[in-house]
Amino acid sequence: MQGIQHIIFDLGGVLLNIDYQLTHKAFTDLGIADFNTHFSQLHADSLFEDLETGKVSEEEFLEKIKEHLPEKTTNEAIITAWNAMLLDYPVARLQLLQQLRQHYNLFLLSNTNAIHLAAFNTILEKSRGISSLASFFDKTYYSHLVGLRKPGKEIYQLILDENDLRPEHTLFIDDTLPNVEAAKELGIQAIHLQAPKTILDIFRK
């Protein structure tokens, strides 16, 4: 951590526990017979990327998903299935953020969408009594709100420029390798967090 003054955290798989298989199961239970085939096609159609960059609204996303589900499937059922992957915030990770903020500028950078943003803040409020992740950071960057997503270099550069950060004094932590590699190409110090390691292992000393 020598020379590091600023830390940028990914969210899912770093601070928030997630399990994509739970969303897989939830949509299968709703009636999608071949989840992987349908969702691979929707990825190819850029639906998810467009959702994460704000090009597709929540309503448009729900209507597109309904095309692959039984006719009477409700929006609420789809949202519940979509959010099934979002689990919990281990309290030790939140405590670590509070400790780190006394010594570093902290930022959050997440590829996410409006449906998940509402859900993971609700999880935080119900479990910890804290209304928003924003309380742990100097600033939060959500892909659907800024119109950019990882691993595009533009979103990293936006954080550097808006906050006057020097990349060599900045650490980025993410559980997805292409995101880490993109940050490194801009001169940012970066760590690829791989399970079973957690951020507690990085800062244990």
Side-chain angles (χ1 to χ4, degrees), residues 86-168:
L86 308 176
L87 300 180
D88 66 304
Y89 300 92
V91 65
R93 298 180 194 173
L94 300 179
Q95 291 172 336
L96 176 62
L97 290 178
Q98 292 173 325
Q99 294 166 2
L100 291 173
R101 202 171 180 196
Q102 298 175 34
H103 307 282
Y104 305 95
N105 304 120
L106 300 189
F107 302 90
L108 181 68
L109 172 56
S110 177
N111 284 353
T112 190
N113 57 83
I115 300 172
H116 280 172
L117 175 58
F120 57 66
N121 276 330
T122 297
I123 292 169
L124 184 64
E125 184 163 27
K126 286 183 176 179
S127 62
R128 308 298 175 199
I130 300 168
S131 61
S132 172
L133 276 170
S135 61
F136 292 95
F137 298 94
D138 293 88
K139 194 164 184 181
T140 57
Y141 289 84
Y142 298 116
S143 60
H144 70 290
L145 296 180
V146 298
L148 301 168
R149 69 191 294 276
K150 302 173 286 185
K153 294 186 180 66
E154 294 84 359
I155 197 164
Y156 304 95
Q157 195 64 53
L158 177 69
I159 297 175
L160 296 176
D161 292 345
E162 282 194 353
N163 302 284
D164 197 25
L165 311 183
R166 292 177 59 180
E168 64 270 24

Side-chain angles (χ1 to χ4, degrees), residues 151 153 156-157 167 178-190:
K153 294 186 180 66
Y156 304 95
Q157 195 64 53
N179 296 344
V180 171
E181 292 174 337
K184 287 182 176 179
E185 289 178 15
L186 290 174
I188 298 170
Q189 306 298 308

Side-chain angles (χ1 to χ4, degrees), residues 1-7 103-104 167-171 189:
M1 294 298 292
Q2 187 173 0
I4 296 299
Q5 300 172 10
H6 327 287
I7 307 173
H103 307 282
Y104 305 95
E168 64 270 24
H169 296 322
T170 304
L171 175 66
Q189 306 298 308

